[in-house]
Amino acid sequence: KQEVTQIPAALSVPEGENLVLNCSFTDSAIYNLQWFRQDPGKGLTSLLLIQSSQREQTSGRLNASLDKSSGRSTLYIAASQPGDSATYLCAVPYSGAGSYQLTFGKGTKLSVIP
Amino acid sequence: GAGVSQSPRYKVAKRGQDVALRCDPISGHVSLFWYQQALGQGPEFLTYFQNEAQLDKSGLPSDRFFAERPEGSVSTLKIQRTQQEDSAVYLCASSLNRGNEKLFFGSGTQLSVL
């Protein structure tokens, strides 16, 4: 059974700081990994999707890396802004019968202080 | 539509009542997923449709939960004889093709069973 762990559970940083969020998973036989953002009372927004053949993906100030062999991914946020405050979740396809079934971590709640 | 639409946004039910939650995915999206998110947790997979076919319902917690997508577009998640442990946010997501790709989530239905 795939298990996903995110550390830290919560993080508070001053505006402008660079930061790293961590995600680890137990079964390295994954097709891809997605990072999502969730604002309070809202659904999830997909930020980045890294295919298993890739090592990283970038979108604006966000950079996600993937190391399948060690079962780890990191989300790097550069020059953080108050608008980045949200919960960030990583998810990998369940390693069982269906690769479409995602297993999520509990998320990292980020607060960027102006 | 422009995004995934879910209704109602909030639902309060008395224990024992039946509820129906609606999801309207992005037009033309083949895959549709239902997830359940408890407070402070990541979403957990409930069921998956490819067009009108329910290919995986392994995540449904009990036979009180039933989902359908009869015409391959709108989906309904029905919960019979609701119980307090059913209280959660129910998220619907869709993707263009056969899953394992970028997911688009709705804002969810927050169900409270009293």
Side-chain angles (χ1 to χ4, degrees), chain B residues 35-73:
Chain B
Y35 283 84
Q36 181 191 58
Q37 186 174 25
L39 190 63
Q41 304 294 315
E44 292 193 355
F45 173 82
L46 293 177
T47 188
Y48 165 62
F49 290 86
Q50 193 177 108
N51 295 308
E52 70 279 2
Q54 188 175 21
L55 299 188
D56 187 348
K57 55 181 181 179
S58 62
L60 296 177
S62 75
D63 58 8
R64 296 186 295 104
F65 287 71
F66 172 77
E68 61 182 3
R69 193 187 185 196
E71 298 179 356
S73 55

PDB file of all heavy atoms in Angstrom, chain B residues 35-73:
ATOM      1  N   TYR B  35     -13.533  11.994  -4.351  1.00  0.00           N
ATOM      2  CA  TYR B  35     -12.653  11.851  -3.205  1.00  0.00           C
ATOM      3  C   TYR B  35     -13.382  12.351  -1.965  1.00  0.00           C
ATOM      4  O   TYR B  35     -14.232  13.234  -2.041  1.00  0.00           O
ATOM      5  CB  TYR B  35     -11.356  12.664  -3.387  1.00  0.00           C
ATOM      6  CG  TYR B  35     -10.351  12.035  -4.318  1.00  0.00           C
ATOM      7  CD1 TYR B  35     -10.424  12.197  -5.699  1.00  0.00           C
ATOM      8  CD2 TYR B  35      -9.297  11.267  -3.816  1.00  0.00           C
ATOM      9  CE1 TYR B  35      -9.496  11.609  -6.539  1.00  0.00           C
ATOM     10  CE2 TYR B  35      -8.360  10.675  -4.651  1.00  0.00           C
ATOM     11  CZ  TYR B  35      -8.473  10.848  -6.017  1.00  0.00           C
ATOM     12  OH  TYR B  35      -7.554  10.260  -6.849  1.00  0.00           O
ATOM     13  N   GLN B  36     -12.995  11.819  -0.815  1.00  0.00           N
ATOM     14  CA  GLN B  36     -13.522  12.254   0.483  1.00  0.00           C
ATOM     15  C   GLN B  36     -12.377  12.846   1.284  1.00  0.00           C
ATOM     16  O   GLN B  36     -11.308  12.241   1.381  1.00  0.00           O
ATOM     17  CB  GLN B  36     -14.111  11.046   1.224  1.00  0.00           C
ATOM     18  CG  GLN B  36     -14.717  11.369   2.581  1.00  0.00           C
ATOM     19  CD  GLN B  36     -15.043  10.098   3.363  1.00  0.00           C
ATOM     20  OE1 GLN B  36     -14.159   9.281   3.616  1.00  0.00           O
ATOM     21  NE2 GLN B  36     -16.307   9.910   3.732  1.00  0.00           N
ATOM     22  N   GLN B  37     -12.593  14.032   1.835  1.00  0.00           N
ATOM     23  CA  GLN B  37     -11.543  14.681   2.620  1.00  0.00           C
ATOM     24  C   GLN B  37     -12.060  15.007   4.018  1.00  0.00           C
ATOM     25  O   GLN B  37     -12.935  15.856   4.183  1.00  0.00           O
ATOM     26  CB  GLN B  37     -11.043  15.953   1.923  1.00  0.00           C
ATOM     27  CG  GLN B  37      -9.854  16.578   2.622  1.00  0.00           C
ATOM     28  CD  GLN B  37      -9.263  17.758   1.860  1.00  0.00           C
ATOM     29  OE1 GLN B  37      -9.955  18.419   1.078  1.00  0.00           O
ATOM     30  NE2 GLN B  37      -7.983  18.022   2.054  1.00  0.00           N
ATOM     31  N   ALA B  38     -11.473  14.353   5.005  1.00  0.00           N
ATOM     32  CA  ALA B  38     -11.787  14.662   6.400  1.00  0.00           C
ATOM     33  C   ALA B  38     -10.953  15.855   6.835  1.00  0.00           C
ATOM     34  O   ALA B  38      -9.910  16.168   6.235  1.00  0.00           O
ATOM     35  CB  ALA B  38     -11.496  13.450   7.270  1.00  0.00           C
ATOM     36  N   LEU B  39     -11.368  16.513   7.874  1.00  0.00           N
ATOM     37  CA  LEU B  39     -10.694  17.716   8.356  1.00  0.00           C
ATOM     38  C   LEU B  39      -9.239  17.422   8.699  1.00  0.00           C
ATOM     39  O   LEU B  39      -8.935  16.479   9.434  1.00  0.00           O
ATOM     40  CB  LEU B  39     -11.433  18.255   9.592  1.00  0.00           C
ATOM     41  CG  LEU B  39     -11.022  19.635  10.082  1.00  0.00           C
ATOM     42  CD1 LEU B  39     -11.330  20.689   9.020  1.00  0.00           C
ATOM     43  CD2 LEU B  39     -11.728  19.979  11.382  1.00  0.00           C
ATOM     44  N   GLY B  40      -8.333  18.189   8.125  1.00  0.00           N
ATOM     45  CA  GLY B  40      -6.921  18.042   8.437  1.00  0.00           C
ATOM     46  C   GLY B  40      -6.235  16.878   7.740  1.00  0.00           C
ATOM     47  O   GLY B  40      -5.072  16.570   8.036  1.00  0.00           O
ATOM     48  N   GLN B  41      -6.951  16.239   6.828  1.00  0.00           N
ATOM     49  CA  GLN B  41      -6.390  15.092   6.117  1.00  0.00           C
ATOM     50  C   GLN B  41      -6.321  15.382   4.619  1.00  0.00           C
ATOM     51  O   GLN B  41      -6.946  16.310   4.122  1.00  0.00           O
ATOM     52  CB  GLN B  41      -7.271  13.855   6.344  1.00  0.00           C
ATOM     53  CG  GLN B  41      -7.484  13.487   7.791  1.00  0.00           C
ATOM     54  CD  GLN B  41      -6.219  13.039   8.470  1.00  0.00           C
ATOM     55  OE1 GLN B  41      -5.437  12.250   7.923  1.00  0.00           O
ATOM     56  NE2 GLN B  41      -5.981  13.544   9.670  1.00  0.00           N
ATOM     57  N   GLY B  42      -5.546  14.540   3.929  1.00  0.00           N
ATOM     58  CA  GLY B  42      -5.566  14.623   2.481  1.00  0.00           C
ATOM     59  C   GLY B  42      -6.782  13.898   1.936  1.00  0.00           C
ATOM     60  O   GLY B  42      -7.397  13.079   2.625  1.00  0.00           O
ATOM     61  N   PRO B  43      -7.168  14.200   0.709  1.00  0.00           N
ATOM     62  CA  PRO B  43      -8.319  13.504   0.109  1.00  0.00           C
ATOM     63  C   PRO B  43      -8.060  12.011  -0.019  1.00  0.00           C
ATOM     64  O   PRO B  43      -6.930  11.583  -0.246  1.00  0.00           O
ATOM     65  CB  PRO B  43      -8.435  14.148  -1.276  1.00  0.00           C
ATOM     66  CG  PRO B  43      -7.750  15.468  -1.156  1.00  0.00           C
ATOM     67  CD  PRO B  43      -6.633  15.247  -0.183  1.00  0.00           C
ATOM     68  N   GLU B  44      -9.126  11.236   0.122  1.00  0.00           N
ATOM     69  CA  GLU B  44      -9.041   9.782  -0.059  1.00  0.00           C
ATOM     70  C   GLU B  44      -9.968   9.353  -1.187  1.00  0.00           C
ATOM     71  O   GLU B  44     -11.123   9.773  -1.262  1.00  0.00           O
ATOM     72  CB  GLU B  44      -9.393   9.057   1.233  1.00  0.00           C
ATOM     73  CG  GLU B  44      -8.357   9.274   2.332  1.00  0.00           C
ATOM     74  CD  GLU B  44      -8.520   8.319   3.499  1.00  0.00           C
ATOM     75  OE1 GLU B  44      -9.500   7.548   3.500  1.00  0.00           O
ATOM     76  OE2 GLU B  44      -7.678   8.348   4.409  1.00  0.00           O
ATOM     77  N   PHE B  45      -9.456   8.499  -2.045  1.00  0.00           N
ATOM     78  CA  PHE B  45     -10.161   8.037  -3.234  1.00  0.00           C
ATOM     79  C   PHE B  45     -11.429   7.273  -2.875  1.00  0.00           C
ATOM     80  O   PHE B  45     -11.441   6.433  -1.964  1.00  0.00           O
ATOM     81  CB  PHE B  45      -9.229   7.127  -4.042  1.00  0.00           C
ATOM     82  CG  PHE B  45      -9.888   6.439  -5.206  1.00  0.00           C
ATOM     83  CD1 PHE B  45     -10.063   7.097  -6.420  1.00  0.00           C
ATOM     84  CD2 PHE B  45     -10.327   5.127  -5.095  1.00  0.00           C
ATOM     85  CE1 PHE B  45     -10.649   6.463  -7.492  1.00  0.00           C
ATOM     86  CE2 PHE B  45     -10.906   4.475  -6.162  1.00  0.00           C
ATOM     87  CZ  PHE B  45     -11.081   5.151  -7.369  1.00  0.00           C
ATOM     88  N   LEU B  46     -12.505   7.589  -3.588  1.00  0.00           N
ATOM     89  CA  LEU B  46     -13.746   6.845  -3.432  1.00  0.00           C
ATOM     90  C   LEU B  46     -14.050   5.994  -4.671  1.00  0.00           C
ATOM     91  O   LEU B  46     -14.198   4.781  -4.582  1.00  0.00           O
ATOM     92  CB  LEU B  46     -14.922   7.809  -3.196  1.00  0.00           C
ATOM     93  CG  LEU B  46     -14.917   8.583  -1.874  1.00  0.00           C
ATOM     94  CD1 LEU B  46     -16.098   9.544  -1.827  1.00  0.00           C
ATOM     95  CD2 LEU B  46     -14.941   7.634  -0.685  1.00  0.00           C
ATOM     96  N   THR B  47     -14.130   6.657  -5.838  1.00  0.00           N
ATOM     97  CA  THR B  47     -14.546   5.937  -7.036  1.00  0.00           C
ATOM     98  C   THR B  47     -14.102   6.670  -8.288  1.00  0.00           C
ATOM     99  O   THR B  47     -13.783   7.864  -8.241  1.00  0.00           O
ATOM    100  CB  THR B  47     -16.071   5.714  -7.036  1.00  0.00           C
ATOM    101  OG1 THR B  47     -16.433   4.853  -8.127  1.00  0.00           O
ATOM    102  CG2 THR B  47     -16.829   7.022  -7.161  1.00  0.00           C
ATOM    103  N   TYR B  48     -14.078   5.934  -9.408  1.00  0.00           N
ATOM    104  CA  TYR B  48     -13.569   6.454 -10.678  1.00  0.00           C
ATOM    105  C   TYR B  48     -14.468   6.017 -11.828  1.00  0.00           C
ATOM    106  O   TYR B  48     -14.857   4.846 -11.903  1.00  0.00           O
ATOM    107  CB  TYR B  48     -12.144   5.941 -10.907  1.00  0.00           C
ATOM    108  CG  TYR B  48     -11.609   6.093 -12.311  1.00  0.00           C
ATOM    109  CD1 TYR B  48     -11.455   7.351 -12.880  1.00  0.00           C
ATOM    110  CD2 TYR B  48     -11.235   4.977 -13.058  1.00  0.00           C
ATOM    111  CE1 TYR B  48     -10.950   7.494 -14.161  1.00  0.00           C
ATOM    112  CE2 TYR B  48     -10.731   5.107 -14.341  1.00  0.00           C
ATOM    113  CZ  TYR B  48     -10.579   6.366 -14.888  1.00  0.00           C
ATOM    114  OH  TYR B  48     -10.078   6.513 -16.162  1.00  0.00           O
ATOM    115  N   PHE B  49     -14.779   6.977 -12.696  1.00  0.00           N
ATOM    116  CA  PHE B  49     -15.553   6.716 -13.914  1.00  0.00           C
ATOM    117  C   PHE B  49     -14.716   7.066 -15.138  1.00  0.00           C
ATOM    118  O   PHE B  49     -14.014   8.074 -15.162  1.00  0.00           O
ATOM    119  CB  PHE B  49     -16.820   7.579 -13.960  1.00  0.00           C
ATOM    120  CG  PHE B  49     -17.866   7.191 -12.962  1.00  0.00           C
ATOM    121  CD1 PHE B  49     -17.834   7.703 -11.678  1.00  0.00           C
ATOM    122  CD2 PHE B  49     -18.896   6.334 -13.305  1.00  0.00           C
ATOM    123  CE1 PHE B  49     -18.804   7.368 -10.746  1.00  0.00           C
ATOM    124  CE2 PHE B  49     -19.877   5.990 -12.389  1.00  0.00           C
ATOM    125  CZ  PHE B  49     -19.820   6.506 -11.107  1.00  0.00           C
ATOM    126  N   GLN B  50     -14.858   6.231 -16.140  1.00  0.00           N
ATOM    127  CA  GLN B  50     -14.337   6.573 -17.458  1.00  0.00           C
ATOM    128  C   GLN B  50     -15.563   6.624 -18.362  1.00  0.00           C
ATOM    129  O   GLN B  50     -16.172   5.586 -18.632  1.00  0.00           O
ATOM    130  CB  GLN B  50     -13.349   5.522 -17.934  1.00  0.00           C
ATOM    131  CG  GLN B  50     -12.528   5.944 -19.136  1.00  0.00           C
ATOM    132  CD  GLN B  50     -11.501   4.865 -19.511  1.00  0.00           C
ATOM    133  OE1 GLN B  50     -11.656   4.185 -20.515  1.00  0.00           O
ATOM    134  NE2 GLN B  50     -10.499   4.699 -18.684  1.00  0.00           N
ATOM    135  N   ASN B  51     -15.932   7.814 -18.802  1.00  0.00           N
ATOM    136  CA  ASN B  51     -17.233   8.049 -19.443  1.00  0.00           C
ATOM    137  C   ASN B  51     -18.337   7.568 -18.490  1.00  0.00           C
ATOM    138  O   ASN B  51     -18.341   7.947 -17.329  1.00  0.00           O
ATOM    139  CB  ASN B  51     -17.281   7.381 -20.796  1.00  0.00           C
ATOM    140  CG  ASN B  51     -16.287   7.998 -21.762  1.00  0.00           C
ATOM    141  OD1 ASN B  51     -16.260   9.218 -21.941  1.00  0.00           O
ATOM    142  ND2 ASN B  51     -15.436   7.175 -22.368  1.00  0.00           N
ATOM    143  N   GLU B  52     -19.221   6.710 -18.929  1.00  0.00           N
ATOM    144  CA  GLU B  52     -20.312   6.285 -18.046  1.00  0.00           C
ATOM    145  C   GLU B  52     -19.965   5.026 -17.247  1.00  0.00           C
ATOM    146  O   GLU B  52     -20.731   4.617 -16.372  1.00  0.00           O
ATOM    147  CB  GLU B  52     -21.581   6.034 -18.866  1.00  0.00           C
ATOM    148  CG  GLU B  52     -21.537   4.808 -19.779  1.00  0.00           C
ATOM    149  CD  GLU B  52     -20.801   5.094 -21.071  1.00  0.00           C
ATOM    150  OE1 GLU B  52     -20.293   6.228 -21.252  1.00  0.00           O
ATOM    151  OE2 GLU B  52     -20.734   4.167 -21.907  1.00  0.00           O
ATOM    152  N   ALA B  53     -18.825   4.445 -17.518  1.00  0.00           N
ATOM    153  CA  ALA B  53     -18.448   3.196 -16.858  1.00  0.00           C
ATOM    154  C   ALA B  53     -17.728   3.466 -15.534  1.00  0.00           C
ATOM    155  O   ALA B  53     -16.735   4.185 -15.496  1.00  0.00           O
ATOM    156  CB  ALA B  53     -17.550   2.377 -17.778  1.00  0.00           C
ATOM    157  N   GLN B  54     -18.228   2.838 -14.488  1.00  0.00           N
ATOM    158  CA  GLN B  54     -17.578   2.938 -13.179  1.00  0.00           C
ATOM    159  C   GLN B  54     -16.522   1.844 -13.110  1.00  0.00           C
ATOM    160  O   GLN B  54     -16.839   0.670 -12.878  1.00  0.00           O
ATOM    161  CB  GLN B  54     -18.610   2.781 -12.057  1.00  0.00           C
ATOM    162  CG  GLN B  54     -18.047   3.063 -10.677  1.00  0.00           C
ATOM    163  CD  GLN B  54     -19.123   3.020  -9.590  1.00  0.00           C
ATOM    164  OE1 GLN B  54     -20.168   2.421  -9.774  1.00  0.00           O
ATOM    165  NE2 GLN B  54     -18.880   3.677  -8.463  1.00  0.00           N
ATOM    166  N   LEU B  55     -15.278   2.237 -13.301  1.00  0.00           N
ATOM    167  CA  LEU B  55     -14.198   1.249 -13.398  1.00  0.00           C
ATOM    168  C   LEU B  55     -13.615   0.855 -12.055  1.00  0.00           C
ATOM    169  O   LEU B  55     -12.977  -0.193 -11.953  1.00  0.00           O
ATOM    170  CB  LEU B  55     -13.086   1.771 -14.313  1.00  0.00           C
ATOM    171  CG  LEU B  55     -13.474   2.056 -15.759  1.00  0.00           C
ATOM    172  CD1 LEU B  55     -12.237   2.384 -16.588  1.00  0.00           C
ATOM    173  CD2 LEU B  55     -14.234   0.887 -16.365  1.00  0.00           C
ATOM    174  N   ASP B  56     -13.810   1.674 -11.060  1.00  0.00           N
ATOM    175  CA  ASP B  56     -13.223   1.366  -9.760  1.00  0.00           C
ATOM    176  C   ASP B  56     -14.083   2.006  -8.689  1.00  0.00           C
ATOM    177  O   ASP B  56     -14.296   3.218  -8.709  1.00  0.00           O
ATOM    178  CB  ASP B  56     -11.791   1.899  -9.685  1.00  0.00           C
ATOM    179  CG  ASP B  56     -11.056   1.469  -8.422  1.00  0.00           C
ATOM    180  OD1 ASP B  56     -11.691   0.951  -7.491  1.00  0.00           O
ATOM    181  OD2 ASP B  56      -9.829   1.667  -8.369  1.00  0.00           O
ATOM    182  N   LYS B  57     -14.604   1.193  -7.790  1.00  0.00           N
ATOM    183  CA  LYS B  57     -15.362   1.712  -6.655  1.00  0.00           C
ATOM    184  C   LYS B  57     -14.796   1.169  -5.358  1.00  0.00           C
ATOM    185  O   LYS B  57     -15.484   1.090  -4.349  1.00  0.00           O
ATOM    186  CB  LYS B  57     -16.842   1.396  -6.789  1.00  0.00           C
ATOM    187  CG  LYS B  57     -17.183  -0.068  -6.990  1.00  0.00           C
ATOM    188  CD  LYS B  57     -18.691  -0.234  -7.131  1.00  0.00           C
ATOM    189  CE  LYS B  57     -19.069  -1.697  -7.312  1.00  0.00           C
ATOM    190  NZ  LYS B  57     -20.542  -1.877  -7.433  1.00  0.00           N
ATOM    191  N   SER B  58     -13.523   0.830  -5.391  1.00  0.00           N
ATOM    192  CA  SER B  58     -12.890   0.184  -4.257  1.00  0.00           C
ATOM    193  C   SER B  58     -12.780   1.075  -3.033  1.00  0.00           C
ATOM    194  O   SER B  58     -12.614   0.585  -1.920  1.00  0.00           O
ATOM    195  CB  SER B  58     -11.501  -0.319  -4.649  1.00  0.00           C
ATOM    196  OG  SER B  58     -10.672   0.765  -5.015  1.00  0.00           O
ATOM    197  N   GLY B  59     -12.864   2.390  -3.221  1.00  0.00           N
ATOM    198  CA  GLY B  59     -12.729   3.298  -2.095  1.00  0.00           C
ATOM    199  C   GLY B  59     -14.023   3.630  -1.384  1.00  0.00           C
ATOM    200  O   GLY B  59     -14.003   4.289  -0.333  1.00  0.00           O
ATOM    201  N   LEU B  60     -15.140   3.208  -1.911  1.00  0.00           N
ATOM    202  CA  LEU B  60     -16.426   3.490  -1.254  1.00  0.00           C
ATOM    203  C   LEU B  60     -16.449   2.788   0.098  1.00  0.00           C
ATOM    204  O   LEU B  60     -16.238   1.574   0.175  1.00  0.00           O
ATOM    205  CB  LEU B  60     -17.578   3.034  -2.136  1.00  0.00           C
ATOM    206  CG  LEU B  60     -17.722   3.751  -3.478  1.00  0.00           C
ATOM    207  CD1 LEU B  60     -18.864   3.167  -4.298  1.00  0.00           C
ATOM    208  CD2 LEU B  60     -17.938   5.253  -3.266  1.00  0.00           C
ATOM    209  N   PRO B  61     -16.732   3.532   1.180  1.00  0.00           N
ATOM    210  CA  PRO B  61     -16.591   2.969   2.534  1.00  0.00           C
ATOM    211  C   PRO B  61     -17.581   1.856   2.858  1.00  0.00           C
ATOM    212  O   PRO B  61     -17.257   0.982   3.666  1.00  0.00           O
ATOM    213  CB  PRO B  61     -16.829   4.174   3.444  1.00  0.00           C
ATOM    214  CG  PRO B  61     -16.737   5.374   2.589  1.00  0.00           C
ATOM    215  CD  PRO B  61     -17.080   4.971   1.217  1.00  0.00           C
ATOM    216  N   SER B  62     -18.763   1.905   2.283  1.00  0.00           N
ATOM    217  CA  SER B  62     -19.765   0.884   2.592  1.00  0.00           C
ATOM    218  C   SER B  62     -20.790   0.847   1.470  1.00  0.00           C
ATOM    219  O   SER B  62     -20.737   1.664   0.547  1.00  0.00           O
ATOM    220  CB  SER B  62     -20.453   1.222   3.916  1.00  0.00           C
ATOM    221  OG  SER B  62     -21.365   2.305   3.745  1.00  0.00           O
ATOM    222  N   ASP B  63     -21.703  -0.096   1.561  1.00  0.00           N
ATOM    223  CA  ASP B  63     -22.732  -0.202   0.527  1.00  0.00           C
ATOM    224  C   ASP B  63     -23.794   0.890   0.664  1.00  0.00           C
ATOM    225  O   ASP B  63     -24.744   0.936  -0.117  1.00  0.00           O
ATOM    226  CB  ASP B  63     -23.375  -1.588   0.525  1.00  0.00           C
ATOM    227  CG  ASP B  63     -24.002  -1.951   1.863  1.00  0.00           C
ATOM    228  OD1 ASP B  63     -24.070  -1.066   2.743  1.00  0.00           O
ATOM    229  OD2 ASP B  63     -24.420  -3.100   2.018  1.00  0.00           O
ATOM    230  N   ARG B  64     -23.615   1.778   1.625  1.00  0.00           N
ATOM    231  CA  ARG B  64     -24.516   2.941   1.702  1.00  0.00           C
ATOM    232  C   ARG B  64     -24.122   4.004   0.681  1.00  0.00           C
ATOM    233  O   ARG B  64     -24.891   4.920   0.413  1.00  0.00           O
ATOM    234  CB  ARG B  64     -24.482   3.540   3.113  1.00  0.00           C
ATOM    235  CG  ARG B  64     -25.002   2.619   4.205  1.00  0.00           C
ATOM    236  CD  ARG B  64     -25.064   3.342   5.537  1.00  0.00           C
ATOM    237  NE  ARG B  64     -23.751   3.740   6.025  1.00  0.00           N
ATOM    238  CZ  ARG B  64     -23.282   4.986   5.984  1.00  0.00           C
ATOM    239  NH1 ARG B  64     -24.031   5.970   5.489  1.00  0.00           N
ATOM    240  NH2 ARG B  64     -22.080   5.252   6.458  1.00  0.00           N
ATOM    241  N   PHE B  65     -22.929   3.881   0.139  1.00  0.00           N
ATOM    242  CA  PHE B  65     -22.412   4.850  -0.828  1.00  0.00           C
ATOM    243  C   PHE B  65     -22.607   4.301  -2.232  1.00  0.00           C
ATOM    244  O   PHE B  65     -22.249   3.160  -2.531  1.00  0.00           O
ATOM    245  CB  PHE B  65     -20.924   5.110  -0.592  1.00  0.00           C
ATOM    246  CG  PHE B  65     -20.623   5.938   0.624  1.00  0.00           C
ATOM    247  CD1 PHE B  65     -20.797   5.423   1.897  1.00  0.00           C
ATOM    248  CD2 PHE B  65     -20.156   7.244   0.494  1.00  0.00           C
ATOM    249  CE1 PHE B  65     -20.525   6.191   3.021  1.00  0.00           C
ATOM    250  CE2 PHE B  65     -19.865   8.015   1.610  1.00  0.00           C
ATOM    251  CZ  PHE B  65     -20.054   7.485   2.871  1.00  0.00           C
ATOM    252  N   PHE B  66     -23.143   5.157  -3.091  1.00  0.00           N
ATOM    253  CA  PHE B  66     -23.418   4.761  -4.463  1.00  0.00           C
ATOM    254  C   PHE B  66     -23.148   5.938  -5.390  1.00  0.00           C
ATOM    255  O   PHE B  66     -23.514   7.072  -5.086  1.00  0.00           O
ATOM    256  CB  PHE B  66     -24.890   4.322  -4.574  1.00  0.00           C
ATOM    257  CG  PHE B  66     -25.354   4.065  -5.967  1.00  0.00           C
ATOM    258  CD1 PHE B  66     -25.000   2.895  -6.623  1.00  0.00           C
ATOM    259  CD2 PHE B  66     -26.146   4.989  -6.640  1.00  0.00           C
ATOM    260  CE1 PHE B  66     -25.432   2.657  -7.919  1.00  0.00           C
ATOM    261  CE2 PHE B  66     -26.576   4.757  -7.942  1.00  0.00           C
ATOM    262  CZ  PHE B  66     -26.214   3.584  -8.577  1.00  0.00           C
ATOM    263  N   ALA B  67     -22.484   5.698  -6.510  1.00  0.00           N
ATOM    264  CA  ALA B  67     -22.201   6.773  -7.456  1.00  0.00           C
ATOM    265  C   ALA B  67     -22.613   6.344  -8.844  1.00  0.00           C
ATOM    266  O   ALA B  67     -22.566   5.166  -9.186  1.00  0.00           O
ATOM    267  CB  ALA B  67     -20.716   7.139  -7.436  1.00  0.00           C
ATOM    268  N   GLU B  68     -23.013   7.312  -9.636  1.00  0.00           N
ATOM    269  CA  GLU B  68     -23.400   7.026 -11.014  1.00  0.00           C
ATOM    270  C   GLU B  68     -23.029   8.189 -11.917  1.00  0.00           C
ATOM    271  O   GLU B  68     -22.890   9.323 -11.462  1.00  0.00           O
ATOM    272  CB  GLU B  68     -24.902   6.738 -11.102  1.00  0.00           C
ATOM    273  CG  GLU B  68     -25.787   7.882 -10.654  1.00  0.00           C
ATOM    274  CD  GLU B  68     -27.268   7.535 -10.708  1.00  0.00           C
ATOM    275  OE1 GLU B  68     -27.616   6.387 -11.035  1.00  0.00           O
ATOM    276  OE2 GLU B  68     -28.089   8.424 -10.418  1.00  0.00           O
ATOM    277  N   ARG B  69     -22.907   7.866 -13.199  1.00  0.00           N
ATOM    278  CA  ARG B  69     -22.610   8.858 -14.236  1.00  0.00           C
ATOM    279  C   ARG B  69     -23.268   8.352 -15.528  1.00  0.00           C
ATOM    280  O   ARG B  69     -22.605   7.955 -16.457  1.00  0.00           O
ATOM    281  CB  ARG B  69     -21.087   8.996 -14.409  1.00  0.00           C
ATOM    282  CG  ARG B  69     -20.653  10.211 -15.221  1.00  0.00           C
ATOM    283  CD  ARG B  69     -19.159  10.180 -15.478  1.00  0.00           C
ATOM    284  NE  ARG B  69     -18.711  11.394 -16.159  1.00  0.00           N
ATOM    285  CZ  ARG B  69     -17.544  11.503 -16.772  1.00  0.00           C
ATOM    286  NH1 ARG B  69     -16.692  10.477 -16.799  1.00  0.00           N
ATOM    287  NH2 ARG B  69     -17.205  12.627 -17.353  1.00  0.00           N
ATOM    288  N   PRO B  70     -24.574   8.357 -15.556  1.00  0.00           N
ATOM    289  CA  PRO B  70     -25.332   7.620 -16.583  1.00  0.00           C
ATOM    290  C   PRO B  70     -25.074   8.039 -18.018  1.00  0.00           C
ATOM    291  O   PRO B  70     -25.157   7.195 -18.917  1.00  0.00           O
ATOM    292  CB  PRO B  70     -26.790   7.861 -16.173  1.00  0.00           C
ATOM    293  CG  PRO B  70     -26.767   9.057 -15.286  1.00  0.00           C
ATOM    294  CD  PRO B  70     -25.445   9.037 -14.589  1.00  0.00           C
ATOM    295  N   GLU B  71     -24.781   9.312 -18.262  1.00  0.00           N
ATOM    296  CA  GLU B  71     -24.575   9.758 -19.635  1.00  0.00           C
ATOM    297  C   GLU B  71     -23.141  10.193 -19.891  1.00  0.00           C
ATOM    298  O   GLU B  71     -22.853  10.845 -20.891  1.00  0.00           O
ATOM    299  CB  GLU B  71     -25.559  10.885 -19.963  1.00  0.00           C
ATOM    300  CG  GLU B  71     -27.015  10.433 -19.871  1.00  0.00           C
ATOM    301  CD  GLU B  71     -27.994  11.553 -20.176  1.00  0.00           C
ATOM    302  OE1 GLU B  71     -27.529  12.700 -20.380  1.00  0.00           O
ATOM    303  OE2 GLU B  71     -29.205  11.284 -20.206  1.00  0.00           O
ATOM    304  N   GLY B  72     -22.274   9.833 -18.955  1.00  0.00           N
ATOM    305  CA  GLY B  72     -20.866  10.133 -19.166  1.00  0.00           C
ATOM    306  C   GLY B  72     -20.486  11.582 -18.938  1.00  0.00           C
ATOM    307  O   GLY B  72     -19.387  11.990 -19.322  1.00  0.00           O
ATOM    308  N   SER B  73     -21.392  12.351 -18.304  1.00  0.00           N
ATOM    309  CA  SER B  73     -21.022  13.733 -17.986  1.00  0.00           C
ATOM    310  C   SER B  73     -21.265  13.978 -16.503  1.00  0.00           C
ATOM    311  O   SER B  73     -20.396  13.652 -15.694  1.00  0.00           O
ATOM    312  CB  SER B  73     -21.780  14.719 -18.865  1.00  0.00           C
ATOM    313  OG  SER B  73     -23.191  14.501 -18.768  1.00  0.00           O
TER     314      SER B  73
END
